[in-house]
Amino acid sequence: MKPYAITLGDAAGIGPEIILKAAWEAPELLRGCFVAGDPEVLHRAAGWLRDKVNAPAEHRPTLVQITHPAQALTLPAHHLPVLPVAALQGGLAAVPPGQISAAAGRLAGECVVWAARAALRGEIAGLVTAPLHKEALAAAGPPWDAYPGHTELLQAEAAAHQGVPVASMPVRMMLANEELRTVLVSIHVSLREAIEAVTTDNVLQTLRITDAALRPVLGRAPRIGVAGLNPHAGEGGRFGREEIELITPALDLARREGIDARGPYAPDTVFMRARQAPGHPGEFDVVVAMYHDQGLIPVKYLGVEQGVNVTLGLPLVRTSPDHGTAFDIAGQGVADASSLIEAVRVAKRLAAH
C-alpha cells in the first residue's frame, strides 16, 4: 500500500480550504493521503473554516507535519499529514487571498513537481492536484511560465523521468462525473490553434489513449462517441470538410486496431446521447471532443461539484477537481470540497487498476 499526495494548489485560492474541508467531511477516504505544501498556509485556512463547517469540533482534522510520504499511512482518521516542500517554506501564509502572487504560483508549481517525481519514483500511488492559478504560475517566471497548467507540467516531468522528448509522451485531459466522460483532442490553446490541431494523427492518438485508459476500468473496450468539429458534423461537407478529410479517416484507422470508435456526430447532440441518467443509459462510455470548451462545457453544466479532471497517457495517476482557484471566494471558508473528494476517490479507483 502506498500513500497519495494532494498538492496544495495556489495559496491565495481555495485549494487549502477544500483540502481541509475534504479531511473534515471524508476522513476515512483521506486516510493514507497527505498534503504536499506549506503547513502555515493550511493553518491559516483552518482559521477561515473554524466557524463555517457544520460538523462536530472533534472531527476537525489535526495537522501533523511529516518528513516522508510513508508516514501518512500510520496516522488515524481526523489527522491530516503535511509534508513541507522545503524550497519555498515561510511567508506564504501572508499572501492575500484572492490575489495573483508570483510566490504562490511558484509554490504551487514546486508542489506539483515534487509530487510528480515522488509518483515516478514509486513512492506514492498517485497525486490529486488542488487548483493552481495559471497567471500566478506564469508570474513566477522561468521555468514555470513555460507551462500553461498542470497537464503540461506533468507531461514534461514524466518525459524527463523517462529520458524521452515531451512530444513522444502525448497526454490528454479527461473530465468526468457520474453522468458523462469527455476526452479532449487539444487542451490549453487558442481556438484557432485548436482547429489546426484537428488532424488525423491527433484524433487517432486521442482515441488510442482513451481506449487504453478506460479498458482496464470498464473491463472491456469503451464505446467512444466522437464529436465533429463543425456544426452538424459538417453536414456532408457543406459546413466544413474536417469530418470527411480528417476525423473519419482517424476513426477508420482506430476501428482497424479494435477500438470501438463511432462518429463523427453532431457536437450539439452527441453529449446528450452519451449521458448516463436514470432511465437513460448512454450510448457511449466517453465522448472525444475536438477542443477544450466543446468538451468541458457539457460536463461542467451537469455540475462541477462531482466533476473530476483526469490526465490520461501519463505513467502515473493524476486527478484534480473540476474547478479553478475561485479567487472571488477564497479566504471566506465557503468553498465546496465535493469535487476534491471525488478526485481522491477516482485517484484511488484508478490506482487499483
Side-chain angles (χ1 to χ4, degrees):
M1 182 177 178
K2 296 178 182 179
Y4 295 79
I6 304 175
T7 60
L8 183 71
D10 194 296
I14 63 169
E17 297 172 58
I18 61 174
I19 291 171
L20 285 164
K21 268 194 176 179
W24 201 321
E25 296 173 4
E28 289 299 328
L29 178 66
L30 264 68
R31 289 187 71 174
C33 298
F34 67 94
V35 183
D38 186 330
E40 292 181 11
V41 172
L42 287 166
H43 278 293
R44 178 177 72 162
W48 295 334
L49 291 171
R50 194 162 290 120
D51 300 323
K52 301 290 186 179
V53 178
N54 184 24
E58 61 268 22
H59 290 176
R60 184 176 298 139
T62 301
L63 295 173
V64 180
Q65 192 163 315
I66 61 175
T67 58
H68 190 276
Q71 293 172 271
L73 300 174
T74 66
L75 296 174
H78 307 302
H79 288 70
L80 182 61
V82 187
L83 196 155
V85 176
L88 287 164
Q89 292 310 300
L92 269 297
V95 172
Q99 294 186 23
I100 294 172
S101 161
R106 190 160 56 251
L107 175 60
E110 288 279 2
C111 293
V112 174
V113 166
W114 183 93
R117 292 176 180 175
L120 292 165
R121 290 192 301 265
E123 295 175 3
I124 60 177
L127 59 150
V128 178
T129 57
L132 58 72
H133 197 284
K134 293 176 177 60
E135 287 185 58
L137 190 67
W144 313 111
D145 56 357
Y147 304 107
H150 280 115
T151 304
E152 296 83 0
L153 182 54
L154 291 165
Q155 179 187 28
E157 283 298 317
H161 179 79
Q162 296 193 357
V164 299
V166 172
S168 68
M169 181 166 289
V171 298
R172 294 294 187 272
M173 176 191 291
M174 179 173 76
L175 207 65
N177 57 31
E178 292 298 321
E179 299 180 69
L180 184 64
R181 300 184 187 97
T182 183
V183 178
L184 312 178
V185 171
S186 63
I187 306 176
H188 299 122
V189 296
S190 71
L191 183 56
R192 188 180 304 278
E193 292 174 288
I195 293 170
E196 293 171 354
V198 178
T199 65
T200 298
D201 286 346
N202 283 345
V203 174
L204 177 59
Q205 192 174 71
T206 306
L207 293 169
R208 288 170 172 162
I209 292 171
T210 302
D211 180 77
L214 291 181
R215 271 183 188 256
V217 176
L218 299 174
R220 56 173 172 78
R223 301 165 300 161
I224 305 173
V226 179
L229 174 67
N230 298 298
H232 302 186
E235 195 73 70
R238 293 187 64 196
F239 303 150
R241 296 192 58 81
E242 286 84 0
E243 288 77 11
I244 295 171
E245 297 175 359
L246 303 172
I247 300 174
T248 295
L251 292 172
D252 292 339
L253 291 168
R255 284 192 286 264
R256 291 177 197 171
E257 297 178 9
I259 297 172
D260 185 0
R262 315 173 193 183
Y265 298 112
D268 59 354
T269 58
V270 66
F271 299 99
M272 292 185 289
R273 293 172 62 178
R275 183 183 180 188
Q276 306 280 341
H280 181 273
E283 293 181 46
F284 315 114
D285 298 300
V286 60
V287 175
V288 164
M290 292 299 114
Y291 57 92
H292 185 279
D293 286 9
Q294 184 191 59
L296 266 55
I297 288 173
V299 181
K300 292 192 174 188
Y301 180 77
L302 293 173
V304 297
E305 297 83 6
Q306 301 299 324
V308 177
N309 179 2
V310 183
T311 305
L312 307 182
L314 291 172
L316 55 84
V317 170
R318 178 261 172 163
T319 66
S320 73
D322 173 24
H323 57 71
T325 51
F327 273 6
D328 57 323
I329 60 170
Q332 299 177 31
V334 298
D336 190 336
S338 299
S339 186
L340 179 68
I341 291 170
E342 190 62 23
V344 173
R345 185 175 287 113
V346 171
K348 291 190 172 185
R349 190 181 307 148
L350 290 172
H353 292 286

Coordinates of all heavy atoms in Angstrom, one line a residue, residues 198-240:
V198 N -6.8 19.7 -35.1 CA -7.7 18.6 -35.5 C -7.1 18.0 -36.8 O -7.4 18.4 -37.9 CB -9.1 19.1 -35.8 CG1 -10.0 17.9 -36.2 CG2 -9.7 19.7 -34.5
T199 N -6.2 17.0 -36.5 CA -5.6 16.3 -37.6 C -5.9 14.8 -37.5 O -6.3 14.4 -36.4 CB -4.1 16.5 -37.6 OG1 -3.5 15.9 -36.4 CG2 -3.7 17.9 -37.7
T200 N -5.7 14.0 -38.5 CA -6.0 12.6 -38.4 C -5.1 12.0 -37.3 O -5.5 11.1 -36.5 CB -5.7 11.9 -39.8 OG1 -6.7 12.5 -40.7 CG2 -6.0 10.4 -39.7
D201 N -3.8 12.4 -37.3 CA -2.9 11.8 -36.3 C -3.3 12.1 -34.9 O -3.3 11.3 -34.0 CB -1.5 12.3 -36.6 CG -0.8 11.7 -37.8 OD1 -1.4 10.6 -38.2 OD2 0.2 12.2 -38.2
N202 N -3.7 13.4 -34.6 CA -4.1 13.8 -33.3 C -5.4 13.1 -32.8 O -5.5 12.7 -31.7 CB -4.2 15.3 -33.2 CG -2.9 16.0 -33.1 OD1 -1.9 15.4 -32.8 ND2 -2.9 17.3 -33.3
V203 N -6.3 13.0 -33.7 CA -7.6 12.4 -33.4 C -7.3 10.9 -33.1 O -7.8 10.3 -32.1 CB -8.7 12.5 -34.5 CG1 -9.9 11.7 -34.1 CG2 -9.0 14.0 -34.6
L204 N -6.6 10.2 -33.9 CA -6.3 8.8 -33.7 C -5.5 8.6 -32.4 O -5.8 7.7 -31.7 CB -5.4 8.3 -34.9 CG -5.0 6.8 -34.8 CD1 -6.2 5.9 -34.7 CD2 -4.1 6.4 -36.0
Q205 N -4.6 9.5 -32.1 CA -3.8 9.4 -30.9 C -4.7 9.5 -29.7 O -4.6 8.8 -28.7 CB -2.7 10.4 -30.9 CG -1.7 10.3 -29.8 CD -0.6 11.3 -30.0 OE1 -0.8 12.5 -29.8 NE2 0.6 10.9 -30.4
T206 N -5.7 10.4 -29.8 CA -6.6 10.6 -28.7 C -7.5 9.4 -28.5 O -7.7 8.9 -27.4 CB -7.5 11.8 -29.0 OG1 -6.7 13.0 -29.3 CG2 -8.5 12.1 -27.8
L207 N -7.9 8.8 -29.6 CA -8.7 7.5 -29.5 C -7.9 6.4 -28.9 O -8.4 5.6 -28.0 CB -9.2 7.1 -30.9 CG -10.2 8.1 -31.5 CD1 -10.4 7.7 -33.0 CD2 -11.5 8.1 -30.8
R208 N -6.6 6.3 -29.2 CA -5.8 5.2 -28.6 C -5.6 5.4 -27.1 O -5.7 4.5 -26.3 CB -4.4 5.2 -29.3 CG -4.4 4.7 -30.8 CD -3.1 5.0 -31.4 NE -3.0 4.3 -32.7 CZ -2.1 4.7 -33.7 NH1 -1.2 5.7 -33.4 NH2 -2.1 4.0 -34.8
I209 N -5.3 6.7 -26.7 CA -5.1 7.0 -25.3 C -6.4 6.7 -24.5 O -6.3 6.2 -23.4 CB -4.6 8.4 -25.2 CG1 -3.2 8.6 -25.7 CG2 -4.6 8.9 -23.7 CD1 -2.7 10.0 -25.8
T210 N -7.5 7.2 -25.1 CA -8.8 7.0 -24.4 C -9.1 5.5 -24.2 O -9.5 5.0 -23.1 CB -9.9 7.7 -25.2 OG1 -9.6 9.0 -25.3 CG2 -11.2 7.5 -24.5
D211 N -8.9 4.7 -25.3 CA -9.2 3.3 -25.2 C -8.3 2.6 -24.2 O -8.8 1.8 -23.4 CB -9.0 2.7 -26.6 CG -9.2 1.2 -26.6 OD1 -10.4 0.8 -26.6 OD2 -8.3 0.4 -26.6
A212 N -7.0 2.9 -24.2 CA -6.0 2.3 -23.3 C -6.3 2.6 -21.9 O -6.2 1.8 -21.0 CB -4.6 2.7 -23.7
A213 N -6.8 3.9 -21.6 CA -7.1 4.3 -20.2 C -8.3 3.7 -19.7 O -8.4 3.3 -18.5 CB -7.2 5.8 -20.2
L214 N -9.4 3.5 -20.5 CA -10.7 3.1 -20.0 C -10.9 1.6 -20.0 O -11.7 1.1 -19.3 CB -11.8 3.8 -20.7 CG -11.9 5.3 -20.4 CD1 -13.1 5.9 -21.2 CD2 -12.1 5.6 -18.9
R215 N -10.2 0.9 -20.8 CA -10.3 -0.6 -20.9 C -10.2 -1.3 -19.5 O -11.0 -2.1 -19.1 CB -9.4 -1.2 -21.9 CG -9.9 -1.3 -23.3 CD -8.9 -2.0 -24.3 NE -9.3 -1.9 -25.6 CZ -9.9 -2.8 -26.3 NH1 -10.1 -4.0 -25.8 NH2 -10.2 -2.7 -27.6
P216 N -9.1 -1.0 -18.8 CA -9.0 -1.7 -17.5 C -10.0 -1.2 -16.5 O -10.4 -2.0 -15.6 CB -7.5 -1.3 -17.1 CG -7.2 -0.1 -17.8 CD -7.9 -0.2 -19.1
V217 N -10.5 0.0 -16.6 CA -11.5 0.5 -15.7 C -12.9 -0.2 -15.9 O -13.6 -0.6 -15.0 CB -11.6 2.0 -15.8 CG1 -12.7 2.5 -14.9 CG2 -10.3 2.7 -15.4
L218 N -13.2 -0.3 -17.2 CA -14.5 -0.9 -17.6 C -14.5 -2.4 -17.7 O -15.5 -3.0 -17.7 CB -15.0 -0.3 -18.9 CG -15.2 1.3 -18.9 CD1 -15.5 1.7 -20.4 CD2 -16.3 1.7 -18.0
G219 N -13.3 -2.9 -17.9 CA -13.2 -4.4 -18.1 C -13.6 -4.8 -19.5 O -13.8 -6.0 -19.8
R220 N -13.6 -3.8 -20.5 CA -14.0 -4.1 -21.9 C -13.6 -2.9 -22.7 O -13.2 -1.9 -22.1 CB -15.5 -4.3 -22.0 CG -16.3 -3.2 -21.5 CD -17.8 -3.3 -21.8 NE -18.6 -2.3 -21.1 CZ -18.7 -1.1 -21.5 NH1 -18.1 -0.6 -22.6 NH2 -19.5 -0.2 -20.8
A221 N -13.7 -3.0 -24.0 CA -13.4 -1.9 -24.8 C -14.5 -0.8 -24.6 O -15.7 -1.1 -24.7 CB -13.5 -2.3 -26.3
P222 N -14.1 0.4 -24.4 CA -15.0 1.5 -24.2 C -15.7 1.9 -25.5 O -15.1 1.8 -26.6 CB -14.2 2.7 -23.7 CG -12.8 2.4 -24.2 CD -12.7 0.9 -24.2
R223 N -17.0 2.2 -25.4 CA -17.7 2.7 -26.6 C -17.4 4.2 -26.7 O -17.8 5.0 -25.8 CB -19.2 2.5 -26.4 CG -19.6 1.0 -26.2 CD -21.0 0.9 -25.7 NE -21.2 1.6 -24.4 CZ -22.4 2.0 -23.9 NH1 -23.5 1.7 -24.5 NH2 -22.4 2.6 -22.7
I224 N -16.7 4.6 -27.7 CA -16.3 6.0 -27.8 C -17.1 6.7 -28.9 O -17.1 6.3 -30.1 CB -14.8 6.1 -28.2 CG1 -13.9 5.3 -27.2 CG2 -14.3 7.5 -28.3 CD1 -12.5 5.1 -27.6
G225 N -17.8 7.7 -28.5 CA -18.5 8.6 -29.4 C -17.6 9.8 -29.8 O -17.0 10.4 -28.9
V226 N -17.5 10.1 -31.0 CA -16.6 11.2 -31.4 C -17.4 12.4 -32.0 O -18.3 12.2 -32.9 CB -15.6 10.7 -32.5 CG1 -14.7 11.8 -33.0 CG2 -14.8 9.5 -32.0
A227 N -17.2 13.5 -31.4 CA -17.8 14.8 -31.8 C -17.2 15.3 -33.1 O -16.0 15.2 -33.3 CB -17.8 15.8 -30.7
G228 N -18.0 15.9 -34.0 CA -17.4 16.6 -35.1 C -16.9 17.9 -34.7 O -17.1 18.4 -33.5
L229 N -16.2 18.6 -35.6 CA -15.7 19.9 -35.3 C -16.7 21.0 -35.7 O -16.9 22.0 -35.0 CB -14.4 20.1 -36.1 CG -13.8 21.5 -36.1 CD1 -13.3 21.8 -34.6 CD2 -12.6 21.7 -37.1
N230 N -17.4 20.8 -36.8 CA -18.3 21.8 -37.3 C -19.7 21.6 -36.9 O -20.1 20.5 -36.5 CB -18.1 21.8 -38.9 CG -16.7 22.1 -39.3 OD1 -16.2 23.2 -39.1 ND2 -16.1 21.2 -40.0
P231 N -20.6 22.6 -37.1 CA -22.0 22.4 -36.8 C -22.5 21.2 -37.7 O -22.2 21.1 -38.8 CB -22.6 23.7 -37.3 CG -21.5 24.7 -37.2 CD -20.3 24.0 -37.5
H232 N -23.4 20.4 -37.0 CA -24.0 19.3 -37.7 C -22.9 18.3 -38.2 O -23.2 17.5 -39.1 CB -24.9 19.7 -38.8 CG -26.0 20.6 -38.4 ND1 -27.0 21.0 -39.3 CD2 -26.3 21.2 -37.3 CE1 -27.8 21.8 -38.7 NE2 -27.4 22.0 -37.4
A233 N -21.7 18.3 -37.6 CA -20.6 17.5 -38.0 C -20.3 17.7 -39.5 O -19.9 16.8 -40.3 CB -20.9 16.0 -37.8
G234 N -20.4 19.0 -39.9 CA -20.1 19.3 -41.3 C -21.2 19.2 -42.3 O -21.1 19.8 -43.4
E235 N -22.3 18.6 -42.0 CA -23.4 18.4 -42.9 C -23.0 18.0 -44.3 O -23.3 18.6 -45.3 CB -24.2 19.7 -43.0 CG -25.6 19.6 -43.6 CD -26.6 19.0 -42.7 OE1 -27.0 19.6 -41.7 OE2 -27.0 17.9 -43.0
G236 N -22.2 16.8 -44.3 CA -21.8 16.3 -45.5 C -20.8 17.2 -46.3 O -20.7 17.1 -47.6
G237 N -20.1 18.0 -45.6 CA -19.1 18.9 -46.3 C -19.6 20.3 -46.5 O -18.9 21.2 -46.9
R238 N -20.9 20.6 -46.3 CA -21.5 21.9 -46.6 C -20.9 22.9 -45.6 O -20.8 24.1 -45.9 CB -23.0 21.9 -46.5 CG -23.7 21.1 -47.6 CD -25.2 21.2 -47.6 NE -25.6 22.6 -47.8 CZ -26.8 23.1 -47.6 NH1 -27.7 22.3 -47.0 NH2 -27.0 24.4 -47.8
F239 N -20.7 22.5 -44.3 CA -20.2 23.4 -43.3 C -18.8 23.2 -42.9 O -18.3 23.6 -41.8 CB -21.1 23.3 -42.1 CG -22.6 23.5 -42.3 CD1 -23.5 22.8 -41.5 CD2 -23.0 24.3 -43.3 CE1 -24.9 23.0 -41.7 CE2 -24.4 24.5 -43.5 CZ -25.3 23.8 -42.7
G240 N -18.0 22.5 -43.8 CA -16.6 22.2 -43.4 C -16.3 20.8 -43.8 O -17.2 19.9 -43.7

